[in-house]
Each structure stands twice: as C-alpha cells, then as structure tokens.
Amino acid sequence: MHVKILGSAAGGGFPQWNCACTNCRLVRSGKFPGKIRSEAQVAISRDGRSWLLGASPDLRAQIEASRELQPREGTGASPICGVVLANADLDHVLGLLLLRELQPLNVYATASVIHILRHQNSMFTMLNRASDQVRWHAATPGESFELCIPSGQASGITCSPISLSARYPVYVSGSDPHLNPNEAALALVITSDSGRTLVYAPTAASITQPFREWIERADLLLLDGTFYSDDELIRVRGTGERAREMGHLPVGGEDGSLRQLAGLRIARKLYIHINNTNPMLNETSPEYRSVREAGWELAEDGWQAIL
C-alpha cells in the first residue's frame, strides 16, 4: 500500500490568505526557514487504485501535482475510487464538491456525518445528480470495513474507525437529533493486506486509551499537529479560542501530545494538519527542535511511504 501526503497544513493552508503573522509574512518575503503547505490531504493506493482520506479544498491542485492520481485515457477514468471522511470539518469535506463530475465513487463516513452533508447542506446534492454517482457507506466507530472500488470489488485495504471527539463543526446544527456524539471526529486506522498499519488522526482532542493502543501497534502515525500550545491563537492574534476548545490537543506543554506519547516506539510518526501560526513550522525554532529530538517529523506535501 502506497501512502502519499498531498497536503499537510490546517484549514487555509500555509501561508493563509488573510494572515500576516510572523510565519506567513516571512514566507511571502521568501525568508522563512520552512516549507509552504497546502491543506491536509492523504491518498492511499494499491494496484493502481486510490482512496482519499478526507477531501481537501486544495484537492484539484493536489491531484494535478500527483501523476498517480491523474486520469488514464478517456473521461471518467480517474484512479480515485472513493473517500473516507474522519469528520465534517470544512477543510476535510469541501473537496467532495470538486469530485462531482459524475464518476462513480464510494464515500465512507459515520451516519451522522453523512446526515450533515446530505440533509443539512443542499450543495452536497450535487454528488447525487445521477444514480450511483456517489455511494454513501455508513461507518461505525469500532467496526472495521474493507475499502471497495465502485463496482464492489474489495481492495484488500481495511479501515477501522475510532471515535476521538464529540465536537461537531460550528456550522452544524447541534440540536439535530440525528447526530451521535461518538460519530463527530474519528481516527482512521488503515491496514494493508500485508498487515501493516497507518493511523491517521487530523483532529484529535485527546489520546484515549483505545486510540493509544492502536497507535502503539502502528507502522505509521499521522497525528493532529494543529497547534503547538493551547493558547497559540490568543498569543499570535490577541483573540480566539484555545486549542482544546477547538478540539485539538496541542503538541507542546505538560500534557500535550509530545509529552503524552514520549517513548512511543513506531517506525515513523509525523505531525499533520499544522496551523499557519504554529512555531514548529520554523525549522530554526526551539519548538521544531523539540519535535525532531523526540523522534517526530513534520508532514510535508509530497511525502510518501510504502506499507
């Protein structure tokens, strides 16, 4: 199974269009000791067929930058067979609307996220203008399922969703009785037919015990690295919510993910979904050094691995 990080930034990308924080300003001046990043997006592929983990607003450009995701001869010949959604955040689902050109696709998400997209938001009816254009498959936390191509043929790749948070995006109607708090935000455990495992958690409010048990068995971990500190937005912008209030466990601090997962022995572990304000984006910063010295990497657009 081939894993490719198409994008590695949080919502808005890096630099962010309306931000002139120190990081964004230095990037635009060409003086930033770090890398530009598009919005978080991961593709997994096997035997010439691909599935997307999430659907980034930057998806079109990310596909054009990745030959293996581009269509073969003719129209409707994309190797992309489907999408697995970990949550309903806009930077995780807006790319679905870019996939509306009538090619059959499988979309896997919890019943609550499917309800949000299909019943609370009329724009997503564009994905079902024709019969079997998009087939929606309800995923239940704790129950594994196999990814399939649109014809129904199994891929040999298994997904095991893990509930991580009860927090839905702010655009979602919280009074809707169809929404299950256990289905708001997931970690996706992707297992290849060789038995090797990717754990993808772009939004992680906490390190729960079931989540930690999966992490400890993983071959590759892509973990929420949105903010380095809990008060990052407040310090950079002078206002805003804390990281935990937004459903993100910070990287640093006494009980951040770096400390909680100290000593974790897996082959590769990377922080992904990194916000433009995060000081660890600066590769000369003490925050970057602390992450690297602890054995972590920062996800970068174009990074690849074979599992």
Side-chain angles (χ1 to χ4, degrees):
M1 181 174 72
H2 180 224
V3 179
K4 185 171 185 178
I5 296 174
L6 307 181
S8 50
F14 178 58
Q16 187 169 292
W17 71 276
N18 67 336
C19 185
C21 69
T22 300
N23 284 353
C24 291
R25 190 170 63 251
L26 287 174
V27 165
R28 293 189 179 103
S29 71
K31 300 176 181 178
F32 187 73
K35 300 171 178 66
I36 292 173
R37 289 169 163 85
S38 61
E39 295 190 54
Q41 179 68 65
V42 175
I44 55 174
S45 305
R46 183 178 182 273
D47 298 333
R49 294 165 174 158
S50 300
W51 289 261
L52 304 174
L53 305 185
S56 157
D58 290 333
L59 185 55
R60 180 188 175 280
Q62 292 166 339
I63 290 172
E64 292 305 311
S66 303
R67 184 181 297 274
E68 65 273 23
L69 298 179
Q70 296 169 10
R72 317 304 193 228
E73 294 182 3
T75 61
S78 168
I80 297 173
C81 296
V83 181
V84 188
L85 300 177
N87 55 60
D89 289 350
L90 290 180
D91 58 351
H92 197 70
V93 302
L94 283 178
L96 288 175
L97 296 175
L98 306 178
L99 304 176
R100 66 186 185 279
E101 277 77 21
L102 302 179
Q103 175 168 324
L105 293 170
N106 287 325
V107 176
Y108 303 88
T110 63
S112 297
V113 168
I114 293 173
H115 176 78
I116 290 166
L117 300 182
R118 300 198 68 189
H119 300 288
Q120 288 192 4
N121 293 272
S122 60
M123 281 191 299
F124 285 88
T125 61
M126 288 295 291
L127 298 173
N128 287 106
R129 289 176 293 157
S131 60
D132 293 332
Q133 178 184 349
V134 166
R135 296 180 179 179
W136 300 86
H137 302 268
T140 302
E143 296 183 11
S144 299
F145 59 90
E146 190 165 5
L147 301 184
C148 296
I149 65 174
S151 67
Q153 180 182 345
S155 66
I157 300 173
T158 301
C159 179
S160 302
I162 305 168
S163 179
L164 285 186
S165 171
R167 185 185 185 280
Y168 284 97
V170 294
Y171 75 87
V172 174
S173 172
S175 61
D176 193 321
H178 295 91
L179 303 187
N180 183 333
N182 293 323
E183 296 182 348
L186 305 173
L188 303 176
V189 180
I190 308 295
T191 305
S192 69
D193 57 351
S194 67
R196 303 190 73 196
T197 299
L198 157 69
V199 174
Y200 179 54
T203 300
S206 62
I207 308 294
T208 65
Q209 187 57 34
F211 183 37
R212 188 183 189 96
E213 290 172 1
W214 275 108
I215 288 174
E216 290 174 344
R217 298 196 297 267
D219 296 286
L220 171 61
L221 171 62
L222 302 179
L223 182 64
D224 184 350
T226 309
F227 300 111
Y228 193 85
S229 61
D230 192 41
D231 63 346
E232 184 174 308
L233 286 183
I234 298 170
R235 287 189 293 105
V236 173
R237 298 179 180 174
T239 185
E241 294 181 290
R242 292 182 175 274
R244 289 180 175 84
E245 293 172 344
M246 300 175 68
H248 298 287
L249 180 67
V251 173
E254 289 298 317
D255 58 349
S257 59
L258 199 63
R259 184 69 62 88
Q260 287 195 44
L261 297 175
L264 183 66
R265 297 182 180 276
I266 63 173
R268 304 295 292 272
K269 48 190 180 182
L270 293 80
Y271 282 115
I272 196 168
H273 196 267
I274 307 167
N275 200 58
N276 60 290
T277 56
N278 196 319
M280 69 185 185
L281 288 170
N282 184 325
E283 295 176 9
T284 64
S285 69
E287 291 84 1
Y288 177 80
R289 288 196 299 273
S290 68
V291 168
R292 298 294 287 128
E293 289 169 359
W296 288 78
E297 303 170 61
L298 298 191
E300 301 175 5
D301 295 19
W303 187 95
Q304 303 181 60
I306 301 295
L307 296 181

